[in-house]
């Protein structure tokens, strides 16, 4: 199956899925297709590529955190089913992607099932792993597994349980998957274990899970959870444990936000003191309810996220991709002109010197026996002319090619950022399109860019605004029930729209 048909199939299956799940997002796919068209005419996207496949359409909840912090126990409790193994040594050694299935029983499928299925967010993950750790891509099953589960609570979403996170011991491939999951998720629950007496020893882990997540533009999707706080009830001063965690997290920048304090009702040790127990339970119930509310809310977050990405992609094309192409093409043009000037200048000087050496100039007339013979021979003078023009053309096009290689090498040096790296090949492809031989170096706009493309982008931006309004209408209702749970993300997205 060709990659273009593969893409068509993939988009079609996405559309079929969204037609049932969220018709507003179905319309968003059409807008993405419009952006694809613009980007393809720019040469920025290839026919088998689509912006729609670069984002995750699934509402995704990831549970990350340190070893034995109770991630799997929390998931089991949420699903009301003992799906995941739990225990006091390191239990999970791979990521488990949990999704809903109508079949009554739990099914476990190997990582390959995720790697090969375009409907999941790990499609072709083995390739990404192979790129950073040669040979590991084939071992995808050692990193991922898929579990289907009949719990209603996971219907319409994907939940990911992960192996205990330890920044020091983590393999690069595991780290790569963790980052990929963080990028894709709509909600990330970061678990810490209150039993761990000294958070200071986990410097790198806190750095990775807190310091590096707190300043992200999507930081509101992270919930930091101190779990197993029932165990602190046995301490003389339970607040000390919490305070020491609070200090450690504050050092990593988690000051303004708060962290949740919970423990698992099923796994907790009994708290003998009745007063203490009531206090602990009260606090836990409030926090747990908030976490669960955010988990229910994730479909809404996802819808706003997709529309935000649509808008961002449209703006990006107009405000970043096209100006950058223009700048690169300008660089190319200047280099071609300069090299052309140098080459043909030197050639003229060489001809002058050569003719002065061998022949005779009488005023503007040059005379040399070979030259005279050539001019008088009717066919040869044309052959010589065509030959000269051909050689000049060859030289000019070689110079264009060389100059383009130079510009691309410069671009590669310039792009260091991982996120931009993703688009390096796209920029190179667009540059090649502009450097085709029939395109003049003096073109004012990059190939494929003009009033029509601008109009299409403006259309998509207007559509994105419309989707946000429609989403607001869908998710807010007069009784205000959903409205009060509308998350920061959604509000931010709405606010952003209002200021446009
Ligand atoms: N006292 C107490 N024990 C808990 C709590 N949550 C989990 N546990 C216990 O802690 C141990 C580890 O729990 P898991 O759910 O396996 O932890 P995990 O984070 O999934 O661990 P790995 O998969 O190995 O990284 C198990 O023995 C649980 O029974 C809690 O809130 N309080
Ligand atoms: Mg586990």
């Amino acid at each position: 199956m060709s990659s273009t048909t593969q893409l068509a199939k993939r988009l079609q299956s996405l559309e079929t899925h969204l037609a049932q799940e969220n018709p507003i997002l179905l319309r968003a796919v059409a807008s993405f297709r419009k952006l694809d068209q613009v980007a393809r005419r720019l040469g920025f996207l290839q026919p088998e590529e689509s912006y729609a496949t670069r984002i995750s359409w699934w509402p995704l909840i990831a549970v990350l955190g340190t070893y034995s912090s109770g991630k799997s126990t929390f998931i089991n409790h949420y699903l009301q089913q003992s799906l995941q193994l739990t225990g006091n040594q390191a239990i999970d050694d791979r990521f488990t992607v949990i999704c809903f299935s109508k079949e009554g029983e739990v099914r476990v499928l190997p990582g390959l099932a995720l790697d090969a299925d375009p409907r999941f967010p790990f499609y072709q993950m083995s390739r990404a792993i192979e790129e950073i750790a040669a040979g590991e891509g084939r071992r995808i099953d050692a990193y991922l597994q898929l579990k289907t589960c009949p719990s209603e609570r996971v219907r319409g979403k994907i939940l990911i349980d992960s192996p205990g996170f330890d920044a020091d011991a983590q393999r690069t491939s595991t780290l790569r998957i963790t980052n990929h999951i963080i990028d894709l998720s709509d909600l990330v629950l970061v678990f810490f274990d209150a039993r761990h007496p000294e958070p200071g020893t986990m410097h790198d882990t806190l750095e990775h899970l807190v310091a590096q997540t707190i300043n992200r533009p999507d930081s509101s999707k992270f919930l930091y959870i101190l779990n197993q706080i029932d165990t602190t009830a046995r301490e003389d001063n339970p607040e000390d444990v919490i305070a020491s965690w609070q200090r450690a997290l504050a050092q990593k920048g988690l000051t303004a936000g708060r962290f949740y304090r919970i423990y698992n009702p099923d796994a907790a040790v009994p708290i003998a003191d009745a007063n203490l127990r009531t206090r602990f339970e009260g606090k836990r119930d409030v926090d747990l309810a908030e976490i669960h509310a955010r988990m229910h809310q994730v479909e809404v977050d996802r819808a706003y996220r997709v529309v935000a990405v649509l808008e961002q992609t449209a703006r990006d094309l107009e405000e970043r991709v096209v100006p950058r192409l223009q700048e690169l093409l300008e660089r190319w043009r200047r280099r071609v002109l300069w090299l052309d000037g140098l080459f043909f200048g030197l050639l003229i000087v060489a001809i002058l010197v050569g003719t002065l050496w061998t022949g005779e100039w009488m005023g503007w007339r040059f005379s040399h026996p070979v030259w005279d013979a050539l001019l008088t021979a009717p066919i040869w003078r044309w052959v010589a002319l065509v030959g000269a023009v051909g050689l000049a053309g060859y030289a000019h096009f070689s110079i264009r090619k060389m100059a383009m290689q130079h510009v691309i090498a410069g671009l590669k040096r310039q792009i260091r950022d991982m996120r931009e790296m993703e688009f390096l090949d796209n920029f190179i492809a667009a540059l090649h399109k502009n450097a085709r031989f029939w395109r003049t170096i003096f073109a004012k706009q990059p190939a494929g860019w003009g009033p029509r493309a601008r109009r299409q982008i403006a259309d998509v931006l207007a559509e994105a605004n419309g989707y946000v309004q429609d989403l607001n209408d869908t998710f807010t209702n007069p009784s205000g029930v959903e409205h009060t749970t509308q998350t920061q993300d959604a509000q931010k997205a709405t606010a952003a729209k209002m200021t446009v």
Side-chain angles (χ1 to χ4, degrees), residues 58-212:
W58 296 87
L60 207 68
I61 304 172
V63 182
L64 304 177
T66 52
Y67 286 106
S68 294
S69 54
K71 302 176 293 296
S72 304
T73 313
F74 174 85
I75 288 179
N76 287 349
H77 178 250
Y78 179 74
L79 297 174
Q80 296 163 332
Q81 190 166 8
S82 15
L83 183 77
Q84 292 288 80
L85 272 183
T86 62
N88 244 330
Q89 334 75 19
I91 297 287
D92 284 291
D93 60 353
R94 65 196 73 184
F95 294 89
T96 307
V97 177
I98 303 163
C99 68
F100 178 76
S101 143
K102 282 194 291 279
E103 292 169 36
E105 68 201 88
V106 170
R107 286 218 294 161
V108 185
L109 299 167
L112 193 67
L114 290 159
D115 191 55
D117 190 336
R119 290 170 309 165
F120 288 108
F122 296 93
Y123 184 52
Q124 297 190 338
M125 191 69 211
S126 60
R127 246 200 242 171
I129 294 177
E130 189 66 32
E131 270 170 30
I132 48 149
E136 288 299 288
R138 266 178 286 126
R139 298 182 56 243
I140 186 80
D141 293 348
Y143 291 97
L144 291 173
Q145 68 179 354
L146 172 66
K147 274 192 189 176
T148 64
C149 155
S151 167
E152 276 300 324
R153 287 199 149 179
V154 76
R155 191 196 269 271
K157 353 176 151 49
I158 292 181
L159 219 65
I160 299 177
D161 190 10
S162 54
F165 186 89
D166 180 347
D168 297 328
Q170 214 72 280
R171 272 181 294 187
T172 38
S173 26
T174 311
L175 221 49
R176 172 82 169 76
I177 301 183
T178 309
N179 290 339
H180 177 71
I181 289 173
I182 289 180
D183 283 344
L184 289 178
S185 295
D186 295 288
L187 185 65
V188 183
L189 311 182
V190 185
F191 272 68
F192 297 106
D193 182 352
R195 286 178 307 176
H196 211 297
E198 214 193 330
T201 55
M202 308 199 311
H203 178 84
D204 288 347
T205 299
L206 287 179
E207 181 68 28
H208 205 96
L209 291 179
V210 183
Q212 287 177 22

Side-chain angles (χ1 to χ4, degrees), residues 299-333:
E299 278 160 64
V300 179
D301 290 348
R302 180 278 314 254
Y304 283 97
R305 165 178 62 83
V306 167
V307 177
V309 171
L310 173 69
E311 187 185 333
Q312 187 57 41
T313 312
R315 288 198 190 288
D316 225 48
L317 255 178
E318 184 158 19
E319 291 165 14
R320 194 180 63 95
V321 173
V322 170
R324 184 147 203 181
L325 270 179
Q326 274 165 336
E327 180 202 313
L328 292 166
L329 289 171
E330 172 62 32
R331 216 180 286 170
W332 178 57
R333 172 166 44 237

Side-chain angles (χ1 to χ4, degrees), residues 22 26 216 321 349 442 476:
N22 190 328
L26 178 64
R216 292 170 59 111
V321 173
V349 170
F442 296 108
T476 56

Side-chain angles (χ1 to χ4, degrees), residues 429-463:
L431 284 173
H432 281 310
K433 176 160 187 170
N434 280 279
R436 290 203 189 137
F437 75 89
W438 63 85
R439 283 197 59 90
T440 151
I441 55 166
F442 296 108
K444 286 220 164 48
Q445 301 290 1
W449 186 246
R452 178 167 159 223
R454 277 208 190 85
R455 208 172 39 245
Q456 275 181 304
I457 290 206
D459 285 350
V460 169
L461 286 174
E463 285 160 12

Side-chain angles (χ1 to χ4, degrees), residues 70 72-78 227-230 262-269 284 288:
S72 304
T73 313
F74 174 85
I75 288 179
N76 287 349
H77 178 250
Y78 179 74
N227 193 28
Q228 313 208 11
I229 63 159
D230 57 299
I262 58 166
Y263 60 94
N264 197 294
D266 306 334
V269 289
R284 176 202 66 199
L288 205 55

